[in-house]
Amino acid sequence: MINIMLTAALVLFGIAIFISLCRIIIGPSLPDRVIALDMIGVHLVSAIAIISVLFHTTAFLEVILILAILSFISTIAFSKYIERGVIIERKHDS
């Protein structure tokens, strides 16, 4: 019974990732695309966690951690780029 529910959750996460990909392609503005990219990261982390439970292994926990950190950093970098136009600010001495 639990395997059926976890498999159904994986299918729903796959559908959500597909919808987010459509938002990235069709998205009318850059912030919409950044939010969709962040949603894909969250859904991938959740899907990998479900796969880890289905396979009764802890081997994917490091992958989950690294993917979550990279997703967070990329969201922050894209947001900073949208707001300021640059990711890394350099001070120019006059």
Side-chain angles (χ1 to χ4, degrees), residues 31-63:
D32 291 332
R33 291 182 171 116
V34 170
I35 291 172
L37 192 64
D38 188 43
M39 285 176 51
I40 288 176
V42 170
H43 291 313
L44 278 177
V45 166
S46 302
I48 293 172
I50 290 175
I51 290 171
S52 178
V53 170
L54 279 174
F55 289 159
H56 302 290
T57 183
T58 59
F60 297 116
L61 296 181
E62 292 86 8
V63 174

Side-chain angles (χ1 to χ4, degrees), residues 1-68:
M1 182 66 183
I2 191 77
N3 287 340
I4 294 171
M5 290 190 316
L6 291 175
T7 305
L10 274 178
V11 170
L12 292 175
F13 277 126
I15 292 170
I17 289 171
F18 176 74
I19 292 171
S20 298
L21 281 173
C22 291
R23 175 53 60 190
I24 288 175
I25 295 169
I26 300 170
S29 66
L30 192 58
D32 291 332
R33 291 182 171 116
V34 170
I35 291 172
L37 192 64
D38 188 43
M39 285 176 51
I40 288 176
V42 170
H43 291 313
L44 278 177
V45 166
S46 302
I48 293 172
I50 290 175
I51 290 171
S52 178
V53 170
L54 279 174
F55 289 159
H56 302 290
T57 183
T58 59
F60 297 116
L61 296 181
E62 292 86 8
V63 174
I64 291 171
L65 181 65
I66 291 171
L67 184 61

